[in-house]
Each structure stands twice: as structure tokens, then as C-alpha cells.
Amino acid sequence: MKIRTLFICGCAAMLAVSSYAKKPENNKDIQKQTQIMNERVSELMADRVKKDALKELSTINDAMLEELMEKERLMFPADELYGSHWVNHTVNPFHNIKINYPDSASIDCSQFVIPIDGDVRVTSKYGMRRRRMHRGIDLKVQIGDTIRAAFDGKIRIRSFERRGYGNYVVMRHPNGLETVYGHLSAFLVEENQIVRAGEPIGLGGNTGRSTGSHLHFEMRFLGIDLNPAELIDFENSVPHKDLYVFRNVKVNGRNSNIYTSSNTQFAYHRVKSGDTLGAISRRYGTTVSELCRLNGLKSTSVLRIGQSLKVGVGSTSTAASSAPATTQPKATTTSASAQSTRAAAPANSSPANEGAVYHKIQSGDTLSAIALKYGTTVNKLCQLNGITPKTTLRLGRSLRCS
């Protein structure tokens, strides 16, 4: 069509020139002028066709390059972080390997897909459970329910663990996360297979260390388990934020390799021979009083070897440091972050609300994220502030959190 248009334009140009040009004296002049005009039209047409071809070729090259980069991103997910360390036999790829963990990491959660169909019901949260660390979150499913990939990625492990995960899958994702799906009844993928977010990877089950059908779902970064509820609002099946910046918590000025997006993160210490409350508190940059408060102990309590102690890192307790070492800490001991939020309380708060904690709404805040930060629930926040879960949060507004 383009060549036909150019030909018509060329013919029109020839007619225009012939109408205004001096009338040739003989046939030889006519032939010469016609030949010159034909050559000029051919040059114009060739030049136009060449430009169009180069433009189309450039578009094709850009699309091919983008497609190749996407394939490479999925074939070698987060290779810049994991350094091509790809193993198919252990959930933590850096088990017994010393690596340098970054001070922070940006994680894109915008493409997250909830890994189960239907209503989401959390049956067990992340944290200590019956003296064992529960490194993920349990979601209720029936045997045979479809389990889906949370993000684009590549299957690193498809295996069975009798006393733990049962049938389980581990995926590595280009955003730097790895996700674990445990207690499956069947696999729908193979190791090293590339899978898109939302595609089926297995069927729900009750295999391994499990007392009922459910999906054990973990999120890990460089082998380190994260609390999935920090990233995902499971109540609404969406991320709290599209982009997270996780920071390596500092303990006594050094990286603890505990990654968190909140001001306070809890670690767990397993008591070893020779451990004392004083030594443990110094190791984690906290106080004996705070350890006692978190674990319901007294400073004179005898520690059992193998006992797990909850340790708060990333924040310090103010009143605890001044409490006498021989007395049990008071329940009113608060963290520095809690005190700073109290300072933001409305000036007209009544004496009855004197011990209340307030949060000033910032950009990106949601009720579920605020509830998670202050260790409460969305329903409790709504009761305290006379709002509903669908209320729009205004920037700068103060919400009572306790």
C-alpha cells in the first residue's frame, strides 16, 4: 500500500513538472527527462521503504530484547542476590554457608497472587508455637484444593519431608523472595520449571508434620524466614504495600540477619549451657527486665537448656533499664516507639485515656498494617476509634491503638 501511494505521488510529480517545464524540442529530450524523473522517484521510494524497514526492525529488536530479558529474569531469578547458588535439597540455600547479608533490600510485591482459592482463613500465625518456631503462616484448605504460585518464579525444590513439610515446593522469585508451600497431597510442577504467578503448582493436603489439611506458606529472603503477615494483608488477600524496603536489624551495631519492615522484630534464642539472662540481653542489645517481661520470667528464674526465649530487637525498653534487677518488671514497661506515638496523642485526650497509644496516619497506611504494627486487630481499632473497616483514613489523623 505504501509503495502504491508513493508511485501515485511520483506520477503526479512527473505530470506537474511536465506541465510547467519548457516544452522539449525532440523525442530524445523527452526520453532523457522521463529517465531522470523515474530515477528520482525510485530513489525517493527506496529511501522511504528503507526508513520504514529500519523503524520496524528497531521495534522488533526492542521487543525481542525485552522478551529475552524477561526469559533471563525467570531462568535465573534474583541471581544478583543469590550469586547463582541453586540447590535442590535444602530450604535454606545458604545452610552452613557464610555470606554477607545486605543492610537492606527492596522487594516488589505488586504482582502477588494469594496461593489458595476461595475464602482465606489463617489457622496459625508466624512465631513460636509449643516451644517450636513456626516459620510461616497456615492457611485453611481442603485436600485436593488447588495451590497456586504467589509470584512469577522458578521451582527450586520439589521434595518430601516426613517429619516436617511433607510434600513441599520451594520457588525462587525475581523480586528476591523465595516461597515455600508445605503439606501438599500432590505436585503439579517439576524442579527447575518456570511458573507464572497464579498458575497451579500443587494440591492441598495433610502430609508430613500436620494435624489437619492446610497450606503451610513461608516467605524467605536469602534463606531467612520473614513474617508473611508483614508483607501480605491476608484478610483482604493483597500486599500491604507494592514495594517493601526490608532492613537488616542492628543488634549492638551489627547486622542480626533478621529482616523487618517494622520498628520492632522478635527473635528467638535457644538457651545453651552457660547462658544467663544478662549474657543473652547483652547479645541482643536489650535488658534483663525486657527479657523477663516478654517471657513471663523473673530475674531469678532458672533457664533450661533448649528453652526458647523471645527477644525483642530493633527497639529498646526505657523503664526496664532503671528497674531493680531483683524485682519482676512491671506490665507498664513500654518501648521507645510506643512512647513516641503517645506523644502524638490529641491534646484534648481525657485522663481516662492517659495510657493510650496513638498513631498518626501516613501515606500508604492501612488499618491492617497499623493493627499489625501495634499488635492489635482491625476490629479493635474500629471499636477504639468509632470507625468501620471501610472507613477512608485521612493523612495526619490520629488513631487510638490501645
Side-chain angles (χ1 to χ4, degrees), residues 39-309:
E39 290 176 355
R40 181 57 181 157
V41 169
S42 297
E43 289 175 2
L44 290 171
M45 291 172 63
D47 187 56
R48 179 64 180 271
V49 170
K50 183 179 179 181
K51 287 182 179 179
D52 289 344
L54 288 173
K55 186 176 180 181
E56 290 178 8
L57 184 61
S58 175
T59 304
I60 292 171
N61 286 340
D62 288 344
M64 289 178 63
L65 179 61
E66 187 175 342
E67 184 179 351
L68 287 172
M69 289 178 65
E70 176 66 11
K71 286 183 178 179
E72 182 181 14
R73 190 176 72 94
L74 291 173
M75 287 181 66
F76 308 100
D79 199 50
E80 68 283 357
L81 279 173
Y82 290 85
S84 301
H85 192 73
W86 184 270
V87 294
N88 304 109
H89 56 80
T90 179
V91 172
N92 182 355
F94 298 112
H95 182 63
N96 291 332
I97 298 176
K98 187 174 182 180
I99 66 168
N100 292 322
Y101 291 92
D103 289 336
S104 63
S106 297
I107 299 176
D108 182 3
C109 293
S110 59
Q111 303 303 313
F112 172 79
V113 174
I114 197 74
I116 65 174
D117 296 334
D119 295 335
V120 177
R121 182 158 68 92
V122 176
T123 57
S124 184
K125 297 181 179 179
Y126 173 93
M128 288 300 296
R129 186 175 68 179
R130 296 188 294 275
R131 297 185 181 180
R132 293 171 60 92
M133 182 61 185
H134 188 233
R135 300 187 183 278
I137 193 166
D138 290 346
L139 303 175
K140 182 60 181 175
V141 296
Q142 300 299 326
I143 295 176
D145 285 355
T146 301
I147 306 301
R148 303 182 182 278
F151 301 98
D152 292 350
K154 187 176 181 181
I155 305 299
R156 182 165 70 82
I157 299 177
R158 194 196 86 156
S159 188
F160 175 76
E161 189 180 90
R162 185 170 65 87
R163 295 186 177 180
Y165 294 111
N167 291 322
Y168 72 102
V169 166
V170 179
M171 285 187 68
R172 183 175 295 176
H173 309 286
N175 62 6
L177 290 177
E178 288 196 317
T179 49
V180 182
Y181 310 79
H183 308 310
L184 305 176
S185 62
F187 299 112
L188 299 179
V189 290
E190 300 292 337
E191 281 186 356
N192 303 314
Q193 180 179 334
I194 292 174
V195 181
R196 292 289 186 174
E199 290 184 349
I201 58 174
L203 301 178
N206 186 29
T207 58
R209 189 185 180 94
S210 173
T211 56
S213 59
H214 68 277
L215 171 68
H216 174 81
F217 179 67
E218 292 183 11
M219 285 183 162
R220 290 177 175 257
F221 175 73
L222 294 175
I224 303 166
D225 52 279
L226 304 174
N227 183 354
E230 276 200 46
L231 289 85
I232 306 302
D233 174 5
F234 286 95
E235 185 178 345
N236 297 298
S237 303
V238 295
H240 292 300
K241 299 177 183 176
D242 284 345
L243 183 67
Y244 277 82
V245 178
F246 274 75
R247 291 176 175 80
N248 200 333
V249 176
K250 301 288 183 181
V251 175
N252 292 333
R254 301 170 61 183
N255 284 349
S256 66
N257 299 337
I258 299 171
Y259 281 87
T260 177
S261 64
S262 62
N263 294 327
T264 304
Q265 174 73 27
F266 291 109
Y268 293 86
H269 175 83
R270 189 173 293 275
V271 176
K272 300 175 182 178
S273 178
D275 275 347
T276 64
L277 286 173
I280 296 170
S281 65
R282 286 191 296 272
R283 177 177 176 181
Y284 291 94
T286 184
T287 64
V288 172
S289 298
E290 183 69 358
L291 283 178
C292 292
R293 185 183 72 84
L294 289 172
N295 296 278
L297 301 174
K298 295 182 180 180
S299 59
T300 55
S301 296
V302 177
L303 301 180
R304 303 186 312 275
I305 293 177
Q307 177 182 359
S308 289
L309 292 182

